[in-house]
């Protein structure tokens, strides 16, 4: 083994791979079982702004904005709200790819402070075609319709690519 | 510091360390307090296939298949089910080693789609004897007995080893 | 790209960056809405020692021990208890920095076995000023007042710094 320092220069504007994806969350509203792709598993606490509401999801991810486009991946995981005076979420989830283009997963976690226009989360690992990947997932809210549908643009930039 | 690109070649068939372990989950069934090592903290949603059921666990991990073998580690964390039409889980947990052989932890997260024969999750970090480790944890269901016991083979392959 | 082995020598006593921070958790007790910064979203299971209690938090983080010092960051995420016969917790959260000194996040997960004097968790990623960082977060309980306030010293040591 070569003994190196791993403190190197990665340049944020030069990812080794980049994927721009759209995430669609259709929260179960109590009646729409056929379309729902997520469900809250705890209720709001008394602290306000949905603080404490945990949502488990298996959400379609598409290459363009259209919910009805063929999914290029599934996003499986959970988010919850965690702020009293504003909507602020926290995500941990896996992007599961199973297409002719990509097979494998990316694992992502981080804070999602909705008042910010864009939010950076960490891509902490990957498998299959994304073996051992790391990077940044930048969220931007692309649309929010009431409480039961929102769409995020997820701009996935990988800076460590091993495959 | 040496300026390098971290896009190197790691070879999936040559981990720097490998551990094959067995994880035993004994879900509390309402009466078996003495043996239970996990408990569901939320109930199934209406979406089906246990979608939304969150389970917190402190499960024994053994070097062979036998539940009663002396544990070589504990697995502490949680999983939940997140699919409507099939059993699909998502895990985040820590393997806690405190033996003469190993002291330290490995932190793991990722999707566990049960219909697949093997599933890859990410080892996203480690401490102690596993200082700063990264790798892949491959799950295979070794046995499932009804709703209250299952055993996973966890094939842990580390590709970044710093100790 | 240069082909390297990433199995290098990192030295635990020589982080590339270090931050010693204090985390204050004020759990909602049912009445103190103004001061509370966290809330339990599930209740204890029957297994004991709060096993199964999940707490979502947006906690202030200060540079010294004083709760009323100006926060240098927020800690946003969750913990839960997961042991039958002792207090043992598991954390996943984001340190959110938004000050003149630092802007960005650190993402952290791991086990927190309270009977140990210090506990090591993994810093699995970072964004902004902590772009792509990795390291170790060492917890030490600095104070615990009954069920509704505790303070942790979080000694954050980064061993991979890219910025």
């Amino acid at each position: 083994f070569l003994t190196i320092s791993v403190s190197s220069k990665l340049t944020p504007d030069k990812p080794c791979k980049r994927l721009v994806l759209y995430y669609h969350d259709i929260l179960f509203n109590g009646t729409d079982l056929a379309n729902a792709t997520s469900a809250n598993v705890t209720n709001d606490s008394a602290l306000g702004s949905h603080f404490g509401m945990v949502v488990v999801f298996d959400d379609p991810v598409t290459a363009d904005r259209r919910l009805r486009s063929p999914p290029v991946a599934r996003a499986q995981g959970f988010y919850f709200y965690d702020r009293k005076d504003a909507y602020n979420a926290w995500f941990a989830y896996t992007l599961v790819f199973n297409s002719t283009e990509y097979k494998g997963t990316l694992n992502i976690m981080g804070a999602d402070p909705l008042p910010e226009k864009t939010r950076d989360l960490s891509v902490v690992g990957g498998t299959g075609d994304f073996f051992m990947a790391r990077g940044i997932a930048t969220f931007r809210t692309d649309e929010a319709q009431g409480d039961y549908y929102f769409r995020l643009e997820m701009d996935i930039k990988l800076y460590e690519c091993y495959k």
Side-chain angles (χ1 to χ4, degrees), chain A residues 24-26 60 62 64-71 149 151:
Chain A
H24 306 267
D25 189 59
I26 311 171
T62 57
D64 63 27
R65 291 190 156 82
R66 289 188 299 254
L67 171 59
R68 301 302 170 197
S69 293
Y149 176 73
R151 181 172 63 240

Side-chain angles (χ1 to χ4, degrees), chain A residues 73-132:
Chain A
R74 305 295 296 189
Q76 301 180 333
F78 71 111
Y79 63 81
F80 54 80
Y81 293 94
D82 61 0
R83 199 170 143 186
K84 292 161 86 169
D85 58 346
Y87 294 121
N88 198 86
W90 193 92
F91 276 76
Y93 68 104
T94 303
L95 285 174
V96 181
F97 296 84
N98 188 11
S99 66
T100 48
E101 197 172 5
Y102 295 116
K103 291 193 196 311
T105 69
L106 288 170
N107 290 306
I108 296 168
M109 67 180 265
D112 178 29
L114 299 176
E116 306 293 325
K117 194 179 173 222
T118 62
R119 295 85 70 180
D120 285 347
L121 291 81
S122 292
V123 180
V124 297
T127 69
D129 288 339
F130 303 101
F131 178 66
M132 295 292 288

Side-chain angles (χ1 to χ4, degrees), chain A residues 25-29 33 36-42 53-59 77-79:
Chain A
D25 189 59
I26 311 171
L27 184 60
F28 182 52
N29 64 6
L33 209 51
T37 59
S38 70
N40 62 309
V41 299
T42 64
M53 184 173 109
V54 177
V55 173
V56 166
F57 58 79
D58 172 21
D59 282 344
F78 71 111
Y79 63 81

